[in-house]
Amino acid sequence: MDVIESLQGFVGENLSLLAPVDQAWQPTDFLPDLRSKDWVEQLAAFRQSAERLSDELLVVLVGNMVTEEALPNYTLPLSRIARDDTGTADEPWAKWLRGWTAEENRHGDLLNAYLRLTGRVNMRAVERTIHHLLKNGFNPRSKDDGYSGLIYAAFQERATRITHMNVGKLAAAQGDEKLSKICRRIAGDEARHETFYTRVVGEIMERDPEGGTLAYRAVLKGLIAMPGRLMGDGKDPDLYDHFATVTQRVGAYTVRDYAQIIEHLNQSWGVTHRSLTGQAARAQDYLCRQPERYEHAADGIAERINQAPPTPYTWIDGRTT
């Protein structure tokens, strides 16, 4: 925590990665204007585009939205880093956390409104899932050492960016350009947030290469706990696993993406080229082997997923996919 506290100036230099509020997009920018005289026509066109989406893509979209809506769960681990007892502190770490939370909050709001207006999903079942996830909480399974939380955030922001971008591509291929634009805009936020956390961890690696490398290994050894893994709808006890299966099957987020994220972070943080000894050197070797390990496993995992039986989802009124 001493090293993280010493990063206040570095964090301050990177606060420009947050968009000024008066220049930031808002959810209503992407939705029908219900105050307009032609709101009926706008809404009809909006719903018509969404009719083209497959059930598989709807399941992925709902799971992504539910995950985004559980934002309060994700702010708790990071609040330990900000150390903002007042809630309004001017220190850079506190400013970042509040600004990051404000930007992230729009993602769930926008996806929620999109799904509600399209009428394509059972919103009460979706709302129950959000309620369950918030109640169940979130454990990133990382050590409470500060470093691990930031490493996890860097990984997860990149994973979320990739997922939203891929969903946007799938939506465009299925004829819903409005959803595609929404997903691209959310992914743009995630890219800025990813840049921040990646830079911060990179600075940690420069100031404390052994501690940073050991924390990175600890995070990967525990596997990256997905933010929505404790989601539930009161019906399916394995809801997250089933959602993750569909996500991989449609190509929104796959084992290969996981491997490529590790490779990217290894390169960004100079893991391969650092001169380390002892336990840190062994951690370095472990980290360098992980991308290839997951690449080798990818085909087998994909084959098992493609053979998985269809699952009914309350989100789409019990239809299976």
Side-chain angles (χ1 to χ4, degrees), residues 81 136 162 290 299:
I81 293 171
N136 292 341
I162 290 169
Q290 295 315 293
D299 288 339

Side-chain angles (χ1 to χ4, degrees), residues 62 72 114 156 201 245 286 290:
V62 169
Y114 169 87
Q156 197 56 51
V201 175
T245 294
Y286 172 87
Q290 295 315 293

Side-chain angles (χ1 to χ4, degrees), residues 202-260:
E203 188 66 14
I204 288 172
M205 290 291 191
E206 293 300 317
R207 300 187 187 196
D208 183 7
E210 291 195 359
T213 301
L214 290 171
Y216 185 18
R217 180 187 64 177
V219 170
L220 289 192
K221 267 188 170 293
L223 298 179
I224 299 295
M226 293 297 106
R229 67 188 181 87
L230 296 182
M231 69 171 60
D233 61 356
K235 302 287 185 181
D236 182 357
D238 300 311
L239 179 60
Y240 176 78
D241 290 338
H242 292 147
F243 153 67
T245 294
V246 177
T247 299
Q248 165 122 341
R249 192 165 64 222
V250 302
Y253 183 71
T254 70
V255 174
R256 282 198 166 84
D257 292 319
Y258 191 94
Q260 288 166 7

Side-chain angles (χ1 to χ4, degrees), residues 257-270:
D257 292 319
Y258 191 94
Q260 288 166 7
I261 291 171
I262 298 173
E263 179 67 28
H264 170 80
L265 294 178
N266 285 353
Q267 292 177 2
S268 297
W269 297 335

Side-chain angles (χ1 to χ4, degrees), residues 279-299:
Q279 192 176 8
R282 291 190 291 274
Q284 179 184 41
D285 180 65
Y286 172 87
L287 292 167
C288 292
R289 288 187 280 109
Q290 295 315 293
E292 185 177 6
R293 173 192 170 196
Y294 284 104
E295 281 286 352
H296 283 166
D299 288 339

Side-chain angles (χ1 to χ4, degrees), residues 5-76:
E5 182 64 24
S6 75
L7 292 171
Q8 290 281 11
F10 184 83
V11 170
E13 294 169 3
N14 285 277
L15 288 177
S16 59
L17 288 167
L18 296 170
V21 177
D22 59 355
Q23 299 175 22
W25 64 267
Q26 299 299 336
T28 51
D29 299 339
F30 301 88
L31 301 170
D33 183 358
L34 301 184
R35 301 179 307 162
S36 175
K37 292 182 179 179
D38 68 341
W39 70 269
V40 174
E41 290 78 10
Q42 288 188 39
L43 183 58
F46 194 80
R47 292 168 68 94
Q48 185 177 26
S49 295
E51 286 295 328
R52 301 171 183 141
L53 300 180
S54 66
D55 281 348
E56 282 190 323
L57 191 53
L58 286 173
V59 166
V60 174
L61 186 62
V62 169
N64 287 351
M65 184 272 274
V66 168
T67 302
E68 293 281 4
E69 287 281 53
L71 176 63
N73 288 349
Y74 318 138
T75 61
L76 291 175

